[in-house]
Amino acid sequence: MPDEPSTSSGPLTPGDVYFSPHEDDDFDTIFTDGRTPVAISPNHLKNHPLHKPTGTSEVLTFYPTMEEFRDFSRYIRVIEQKGAHLNAGIAKIVAPEGWTPRPSKQDFSDVDNYEITQPARETIEAMEKPGAFFKRNVTCRRKMPAREFREMALSAQYRNPKPNLEGIDIEKHYFQNILEGEPIYGADTEGSFYDKETNEFNMNRLGTLLDNTNLKIKGVNTVYLYFGMYKTTFPWHAEDMDLYSINFLHFGAPKYWFAISSEHADRFERFMSQQFPYHNEAHCKAFLRHKTFIVTPELLRSANIPYATMIQRPNEFIITFPRGYHMGFNLGYNLAESTNFATQRWIDYGKDAVLCGCSKDSVKIDMAPFMEMYRPDEHSAWITYWYGDERSEWVPKKKETNKKRQRAIICVTPAKRARLAASDGSCSDGSSGCETEESSFMRSLPGYIMSNYQLRSDSDGMLRKYKTNTKELRSDRIDFFKERQYNSGRNPEWPHCSVCQYFQPLHMMAINETVPQSSRRLIPTSCFSKTSEEDEKDEAKFDRLLHCSNCEVTVHSKCCSGDQPNSDEKWRCPRCRNKTDVEIRTASCQLCQLRGGALIPCQIGKDSTWVHVICALFNRRAVFNNPDGPSACFVEPSPRQHSETPSMPPLPEEYRSEHGDMFEHSRWECVVCHRTDVGLIPCAHCIEEDKPVIPALAHITCARRVGFVCEVRDFPRGAVMICQKHEHSYLINKSLQDYTNIKVGDNVYVEEEQCSSGTKHFLSGKILRVDKKATVVVDFLDNSCSRDNLVEDIQSCECLYCENGDHQYGARVKVVWDDKKVYDAYFRGKGIMNEYTIQLDGGPEVKCPRNKIKSKKEYKNSNKT
């Protein structure tokens, strides 16, 4: 039977009852909670004692009964419902008393006859940074009899000099002597010492997804033996393809394990990049899969990365979870057996796994069959995005136009156009864009130098431009001086707040060497609250600017912290206050992995980390602690974690699911930096296109650095990003592509004003003439787009440079609509529209755009339908 998905909405608490989802189960059992043994003998507990944690987290230990032990897949679901995968990257399962994997044998005397293939000599070298080490493996023999290996492991040269150490003393002795000696490890030798008849937890047939899909992939389904001696080490790594693994110790000295939960994996990976800069993603984006990198527990503690420890004894299993990192070493001669396995929860890790491209032997699994079978709703789009399959049928949802701004009159008369052109704020010559404070807010700013930055649509140059602009801010670099320089260099840019600057297009940059005490806030509070509640949308409101005395970042009080310090008081941002120097220097954004800008504390599941205010603003799984001056935020973990963020305020479902889970919880590639991440921001225009493709996705910090524009929208959109490919999209009027040609003298039908019932009425008439009219394309805050507004409909703008309606792309404008009301919008570009003058039968002349006219054929076909 294929593995079933968990029925739990989250981890169970100790003492909760797990009810089996299988209808054929004839019992309901209270399982151990991972901490307290249930109904086992004192002798069994003596042989398999609970481990006293020496790390900052806890590895849960489970003691199943024989009845519970019979169903491997079910028991894995049980321990995850207890939160075992959240506590650490591993869990321990103690085999029931009296159970053995080889009941036909009384001892392991036959092991001596086994041949170990390619035993490797291990050499560990110290790196430049204290507490960081690099391990090298050199194959010392093609084959070695196990008897010879045992004799070597027990010899005076290789045996454990202090086998009686316990707890933290074991760790101290290992790391104090880590550079001494060259132990030999008999790892990755194919084979198994299970009896074929053994059914419980049999590595050769665990009955999980890898078995049920009949995938026999070398390095995945294979069972491996590990002959260890003292100090043989497995450095920090996650399993290939982020699979689960099971490790059983048959006999001998214990194994000592360190583990990090998948909830802390992103931060751990960034930390390791900082410790090993020459091996990081610049050379291999999955360099930790090389299994050659070691750091001490003290180093993890200094970076505030939670880790756990565990001792594995004979007849005990260690389970490693998807994307859980682990490392360890052997305390003496022993024999272990291990293999990988998969559950349905793994699929969401496997399809997003970052693979090593350095080695030809690296494990790669074709995830298409898994996606097709277990994720049918995502399969088509996923295949299209990564492999270019043209069979995709996924189509983005359509958005309805805001009903508050419907056209009041369909046919626009010359008299009406004249009224609109004479509205307050228009230019004396009937055009917009005069060089006045009213028509251009930016021109009225005193002392500012206007940038001549040009939009760049060169996709080939985006990555190069991004690397140039972020070289000193990447998470694998620690240079606080450069970061302070970056923040200081951004401060002169209007409106000076490092958060609001994202909403001033990069090609409309205005710079003033003097940073004022306050400036206009470009982000309404509703964007921070992420709710439909109405708030002040007066963009002319000013807010106080705060300057961090430590990292040099400048923010509006209501955009970060909400603090109101005294004018003579030195202020520190949330990232820099009450933190150690190590925490401040190493802090980087969890959502984009860059440093610089305004960072605030963030809780994601059990992980306490940092995020940019701007990244949390755009992320649809993030909510702020205070929308009127946030000092911290919470992010909803990916569903694959089966985790919850403690004390996280609720997010409105309408907001959280606005773009759908497909973009929020899967890893996609940023179109700018080409790094794969979850929670990338989709382009608001791409997502509306009638194409079965994934939209352009990017980190918002990457998008800014190459000139993508950020704009405010009404709830539930809040804030949107628009990629560079839409810079000239207004030149194609897609709405007219399906219309037939009409010309002067043709008899046509003209749509008149709608009735209250919504029924359309048409009047017949003849085309007298056709005039070309210059139009503007604008996006309104309700996410609707208008392509047929006339140039004079723009009442005022905030361009740096504009003339005769040639506004700058992405500039904020105010548009007079047909109902005589003024609406906020963003300028997209200019176009040309045919305006038809029509003599109605027995009536007046009217002027209409093409989409309000039907030819005889179109009118006839519409009546048929």
Side-chain angles (χ1 to χ4, degrees):
M1 166 177 280
D3 189 71
E4 297 286 348
S6 171
T7 58
S8 171
S9 60
L12 299 180
T13 58
D16 285 340
V17 177
Y18 170 78
F19 294 98
S20 170
H22 299 291
E23 295 182 358
D24 57 347
D25 282 342
D26 57 1
F27 62 92
D28 296 322
T29 307
I30 299 179
F31 290 85
T32 66
D33 60 15
R35 296 184 179 90
T36 308
V38 176
I40 65 172
S41 71
N43 185 60
H44 192 46
L45 184 58
K46 180 181 178 181
N47 293 331
H48 304 281
L50 286 170
H51 174 67
K52 184 177 180 180
T54 60
T56 58
S57 302
E58 178 187 15
V59 175
L60 297 188
T61 301
F62 296 88
Y63 296 81
T65 65
M66 184 61 75
E67 193 170 18
E68 297 162 351
F69 195 61
R70 290 194 176 103
D71 192 333
F72 176 77
S73 294
R74 181 185 181 215
Y75 201 73
I76 295 302
R77 292 195 300 275
V78 168
I79 67 174
E80 288 190 337
Q81 286 179 314
K82 297 294 185 180
H85 64 297
L86 303 177
N87 274 45
I90 66 174
K92 182 160 83 171
I93 299 175
V94 178
E97 189 171 14
W99 180 85
T100 173
R102 38 188 283 148
S104 64
K105 301 287 193 301
Q106 298 299 316
D107 56 33
F108 285 91
S109 57
D110 56 324
V111 172
D112 278 354
N113 299 322
Y114 207 86
E115 278 197 322
I116 301 171
T117 57
Q118 296 184 323
R121 188 177 300 278
E122 299 183 345
T123 302
I124 296 180
E125 305 170 4
M127 304 299 290
E128 293 181 4
K129 296 186 178 181
F133 303 92
F134 179 80
K135 191 187 91 163
R136 298 182 186 276
N137 291 336
V138 178
T139 301
C140 60
R141 298 253 300 267
R142 184 173 178 272
K143 290 184 178 181
M144 177 185 289
R147 177 186 293 103
E148 183 179 338
F149 183 90
R150 173 176 59 82
E151 293 171 353
M152 185 183 300
L154 297 176
S155 67
Q157 180 181 355
Y158 292 101
R159 67 172 177 243
N160 188 346
K162 295 188 177 182
N164 297 321
L165 293 179
E166 296 182 355
I168 194 71
D169 292 331
I170 296 176
E171 302 174 25
K172 288 181 178 179
H173 186 264
Y174 169 78
F175 285 107
Q176 286 172 356
N177 298 277
I178 191 171
L179 301 178
E180 296 180 6
E182 294 183 340
I184 296 174
Y185 205 173
D188 298 329
T189 297
E190 291 188 28
S192 173
F193 280 98
Y194 271 74
D195 279 357
K196 293 182 179 180
E197 295 76 18
T198 300
N199 295 316
E200 304 85 13
F201 276 54
N202 192 322
M203 305 256 180
N204 300 281
R205 53 175 191 279
L206 292 172
T208 67
L209 259 60
L210 297 186
D211 300 301
N212 292 326
T213 51
N214 296 317
L215 291 175
K216 296 298 180 184
I217 304 172
K218 183 178 175 64
V220 177
N221 300 88
T222 308
V223 179
Y224 287 111
L225 296 173
Y226 294 82
F227 292 83
M229 63 173 61
Y230 176 59
K231 284 184 63 178
T232 50
T233 304
F234 44 102
W236 285 106
H237 69 284
E239 294 299 309
D240 292 322
M241 292 294 296
D242 291 334
L243 284 159
Y244 291 80
S245 76
I246 178 172
N247 184 293
F248 179 72
L249 189 58
H250 281 285
F251 67 82
K255 286 178 177 285
Y256 202 93
W257 292 73
F258 299 88
I260 293 173
S261 167
S262 57
E263 292 203 291
H264 313 299
D266 284 333
R267 195 150 54 90
F268 174 71
E269 289 168 358
R270 294 199 298 276
F271 169 75
M272 293 295 279
S273 293
Q274 295 166 355
Q275 307 310 307
F276 303 94
Y278 298 108
H279 300 272
N280 61 23
E281 62 182 33
H283 297 87
C284 178
K285 58 186 177 181
F287 76 102
L288 288 177
R289 297 200 190 278
H290 300 174
K291 301 179 184 180
T292 54
F293 304 98
I294 302 170
V295 293
T296 63
E298 288 75 19
L299 215 52
L300 296 176
R301 287 178 184 269
S302 70
N304 198 29
I305 296 177
Y307 73 94
T309 63
M310 175 54 69
I311 293 178
Q312 179 189 15
R313 296 177 174 85
N315 244 38
E316 295 178 351
F317 296 87
I318 292 291
I319 303 296
T320 73
F321 297 101
R323 210 155 174 254
Y325 279 91
H326 45 277
M327 115 167 224
F329 57 92
N330 293 286
L331 296 179
Y333 173 61
N334 59 25
L335 172 63
E337 187 168 326
S338 181
T339 193
N340 292 114
F341 66 93
T343 70
Q344 279 210 36
R345 191 173 78 87
W346 162 76
I347 294 171
D348 296 305
Y349 287 93
K351 71 182 177 65
D352 294 337
V354 179
L355 305 181
C356 168
C358 302
S359 172
K360 296 180 180 179
D361 297 329
S362 61
V363 174
K364 297 178 178 64
I365 298 178
D366 179 10
M367 293 302 299
F370 294 96
M371 291 293 290
E372 185 173 13
M373 182 178 299
Y374 297 104
R375 301 291 185 270
D377 294 340
E378 300 177 35
H379 172 254
S380 184
W382 181 80
I383 283 287
T384 299
Y385 184 84
W386 291 111
Y387 301 102
D389 191 326
E390 298 179 355
R391 296 171 297 171
S392 173
E393 298 177 356
W394 176 79
V395 178
K397 60 182 178 179
K398 296 291 183 182
K399 299 299 294 182
E400 294 184 1
T401 303
N402 192 324
K403 302 302 181 184
K404 293 188 294 184
R405 199 187 64 252
Q406 296 290 340
R407 288 193 183 277
I409 300 175
I410 301 302
C411 293
V412 183
T413 64
K416 183 183 178 209
R417 284 297 183 193
R419 287 198 306 272
L420 299 182
S423 300
D424 291 340
S426 62
C427 303
S428 57
D429 64 353
S431 66
S432 63
C434 296
E435 297 185 15
T436 66
E437 180 176 353
E438 186 170 21
S439 66
S440 181
F441 175 85
M442 296 302 301
R443 290 176 183 271
S444 68
L445 296 175
Y448 283 81
I449 299 173
M450 307 305 177
S451 168
N452 62 352
Y453 177 93
Q454 298 295 316
L455 275 176
R456 291 190 56 165
S457 300
D458 177 16
S459 58
D460 294 335
M462 280 199 301
L463 180 60
R464 182 172 60 255
K465 183 177 180 63
Y466 163 80
K467 287 183 175 180
T468 301
N469 292 343
T470 62
K471 182 179 180 181
E472 307 299 338
L473 299 176
R474 287 168 46 190
S475 61
D476 57 356
R477 303 284 192 271
I478 303 178
D479 191 331
F480 193 60
F481 174 75
K482 292 289 186 182
E483 185 176 349
R484 293 176 81 247
Q485 275 191 324
Y486 169 82
N487 288 337
S488 180
R490 301 284 77 75
N491 292 339
E493 299 173 10
W494 188 89
H496 309 291
C497 169
S498 69
V499 184
C500 285
Q501 283 171 345
Y502 278 76
F503 293 87
Q504 178 67 7
L506 198 59
H507 58 280
M508 293 173 56
M509 186 188 301
I511 302 173
N512 191 342
E513 292 184 1
T514 302
V515 179
Q517 294 183 346
S518 64
S519 68
R520 200 178 90 189
R521 190 176 184 227
L522 301 184
I523 312 171
T525 304
S526 61
C527 285
F528 285 98
S529 67
K530 303 193 174 185
T531 66
S532 57
E533 296 177 5
E534 294 292 333
D535 65 336
E536 85 288 342
K537 291 197 176 177
D538 183 4
E539 292 184 350
K541 281 199 172 184
F542 279 63
D543 188 21
R544 180 179 178 181
L545 289 168
L546 304 177
H547 180 76
C548 180
S549 61
N550 189 51
C551 71
E552 300 287 346
V553 72
T554 296
V555 290
H556 283 128
S557 172
K558 289 189 175 182
C559 289
C560 183
S561 82
D563 295 340
Q564 294 294 331
N566 297 328
S567 57
D568 59 346
E569 179 184 352
K570 284 189 175 182
W571 179 79
R572 283 199 171 195
C573 68
R575 175 258 188 109
C576 293
R577 66 181 67 162
N578 303 320
K579 298 293 185 297
T580 66
D581 181 63
V582 173
E583 288 179 293
I584 293 173
R585 285 161 48 82
T586 59
S588 60
C589 179
Q590 179 81 14
L591 299 177
C592 77
Q593 300 189 25
L594 290 180
R595 295 180 293 109
L599 290 163
I600 57 175
C602 175
Q603 188 72 28
I604 308 179
K606 289 188 174 184
D607 194 36
S608 298
T609 182
W610 299 92
V611 298
H612 285 118
V613 175
I614 192 68
C615 291
L617 185 72
F618 275 83
N619 190 285
R620 308 198 82 79
R621 297 180 293 126
V623 61
F624 295 99
N625 64 335
N626 177 17
D628 205 11
S631 58
C633 78
F634 306 84
V635 176
E636 178 185 286
S638 172
R640 65 188 182 184
Q641 280 288 94
H642 291 183
S643 177
E644 296 177 355
T645 299
S647 305
M648 179 175 177
L651 271 170
E653 182 60 27
E654 187 179 0
Y655 174 84
R656 195 197 67 78
S657 60
E658 166 67 9
H659 292 152
D661 285 344
M662 180 177 293
F663 308 129
E664 299 302 317
H665 300 305
S666 293
R667 282 182 179 263
W668 306 103
E669 186 177 78
C670 173
V671 296
V672 179
C673 71
H674 301 319
R675 195 172 64 246
T676 57
D677 265 324
V678 298
L680 296 179
I681 311 305
C683 169
H685 279 192
C686 288
I687 207 172
E688 295 294 338
E689 292 180 342
D690 295 327
K691 293 181 179 179
V693 295
I694 300 295
L697 295 150
H699 303 96
I700 198 63
T701 49
C702 295
R704 169 68 175 179
R705 283 164 172 80
V706 295
F708 293 5
V709 294
C710 302
E711 298 173 354
V712 172
R713 293 289 188 273
D714 293 337
F715 180 84
R717 282 288 169 97
V720 301
M721 175 199 79
I722 298 173
C723 73
Q724 91 290 347
K725 74 177 183 179
H726 304 288
E727 180 187 349
H728 301 294
S729 62
Y730 59 85
L731 297 176
I732 303 174
N733 196 336
K734 299 176 183 178
S735 62
L736 301 181
Q737 290 178 347
D738 296 330
Y739 289 109
T740 57
N741 292 327
I742 55 177
K743 60 185 182 299
V744 173
D746 285 355
N747 291 316
V748 294
Y749 293 87
V750 180
E751 184 180 340
E752 66 173 352
E753 184 177 354
Q754 293 185 8
C755 300
S756 58
S757 63
T759 305
K760 292 182 179 180
H761 290 274
F762 291 86
L763 302 175
S764 60
K766 179 180 290 188
I767 299 177
L768 297 180
R769 64 178 180 273
V770 182
D771 299 309
K772 298 288 186 182
K773 290 285 185 178
T775 60
V776 292
V777 182
V778 295
D779 284 347
F780 292 99
L781 269 60
D782 68 355
N783 212 49
S784 62
C785 175
S786 174
R787 295 176 179 272
D788 56 1
N789 283 85
L790 299 183
V791 173
E792 57 265 26
D793 289 345
I794 294 184
Q795 188 183 62
S796 63
C797 68
E798 295 188 8
C799 301
L800 297 185
Y801 307 99
C802 62
E803 185 177 0
N804 296 326
D806 288 328
H807 299 281
Q808 289 183 283
Y809 177 78
R812 289 176 291 275
V813 295
K814 291 188 179 295
V815 181
V816 179
W817 195 248
D818 296 350
D819 58 5
K820 300 182 182 179
K821 293 181 180 180
V822 178
Y823 294 92
D824 292 319
Y826 292 88
F827 184 79
R828 293 271 82 88
K830 290 181 67 176
I832 299 295
M833 176 185 72
N834 284 341
E835 186 178 67
Y836 297 84
T837 301
I838 299 171
Q839 176 68 59
L840 297 178
D841 293 345
E845 292 182 6
V846 295
K847 294 180 182 292
C848 291
R850 178 62 179 89
N851 59 345
K852 304 305 173 187
I853 303 172
K854 288 185 180 292
S855 66
K856 281 187 175 182
K857 183 178 180 180
E858 291 167 351
Y859 182 73
K860 184 177 180 180
N861 291 337
S862 65
N863 287 336
K864 288 181 180 181
T865 57

